Amino acid sequence: MNEGLSFSEAIRTCYQKIFIINTRACRSEFWYFVIFAFVAHLVLSFCTVFPIIGELIASLGSLIIIIPFITVSIRRIHDLDKSGLWLLLPALLIILALFLILYGAFATAGILFFLGIVLTLASAVSVIILALLLAQPGTPGQNSFGPDPFQHKIPFSFKPWE
């Protein structure tokens, strides 16, 4: 199946669907937006050289990027017929690991600190697994989150015998 959104179409689609999470997003829409967000964050990081206005621009720019990034990630995981809650797994592991590391550093038992380190590694592995999951092709046709994102882009084929 052709998943042929161009770079500009993907970015435009992400901003048109900035608050829509109950549909699906194809791989090209998601990964092109990941590239766009990475480059935009690099550019915005250079704005912080200027003390006040640069930091304000970088903060607002990051907000303008993070919201569609979250929603396109949810739509992408929906294309795999999975709940958007899958995206919370790495975040929950990181929060738990930080808690255990910080608490374990002050507690007398070194086991909590060790568990925090193990959970940090587990969160890194979960990010890799999630990235591999998001790279998978979506479920063809209808799934529980709606129709295939490219159902409307089926090319016309001329079949005179039908």
Side-chain angles (χ1 to χ4, degrees):
M1 181 170 282
N2 182 14
E3 289 195 24
L5 277 185
S6 70
F7 184 81
S8 61
E9 286 175 326
I11 306 309
R12 186 174 42 249
T13 301
C14 286
Y15 280 104
Q16 286 172 346
K17 296 180 175 182
I18 192 167
F19 296 114
I20 298 173
I21 60 169
N22 58 350
T23 60
R24 298 166 59 176
C26 63
R27 285 188 290 184
S28 60
E29 179 183 346
F30 174 76
W31 288 109
Y32 279 147
F33 196 81
V34 167
I35 294 169
F36 168 76
F38 178 75
V39 171
H41 275 292
L42 282 178
V43 171
L44 289 171
S45 68
F46 289 116
C47 291
T48 59
V49 172
F50 305 103
I52 296 172
I53 192 74
E55 292 172 3
L56 181 65
I57 290 170
S59 298
L60 290 174
S62 294
L63 186 63
I64 291 170
I65 294 169
I66 195 72
I67 294 171
F69 181 76
I70 291 170
T71 58
V72 75
S73 299
I74 293 170
R75 289 195 313 271
R76 177 69 197 121
I77 206 83
H78 284 174
D79 192 36
L80 302 167
D81 208 14
K82 298 192 181 318
S83 170
L85 295 175
W86 274 77
L87 298 170
L88 293 178
L89 179 65
L92 292 175
L93 287 173
I94 289 169
I95 291 168
L96 185 58
L98 286 174
F99 173 76
L100 289 175
I101 288 172
L102 292 175
Y103 185 73
F106 296 112
T108 56
I111 190 73
L112 293 178
F113 183 78
F114 177 74
L115 284 175
I117 299 298
V118 169
L119 277 176
T120 302
L121 295 173
S123 64
V125 170
S126 72
V127 167
I128 293 168
I129 290 171
L130 188 61
L132 292 173
L133 183 66
L134 292 169
Q136 298 298 312
T139 53
Q142 180 88 14
N143 73 13
S144 56
F145 296 99
D148 193 331
F150 280 97
Q151 205 169 26
H152 65 281
K153 290 198 170 194
I154 297 173
F156 174 75
S157 63
F158 179 68
K159 296 180 183 175
W161 55 86
E162 290 184 1

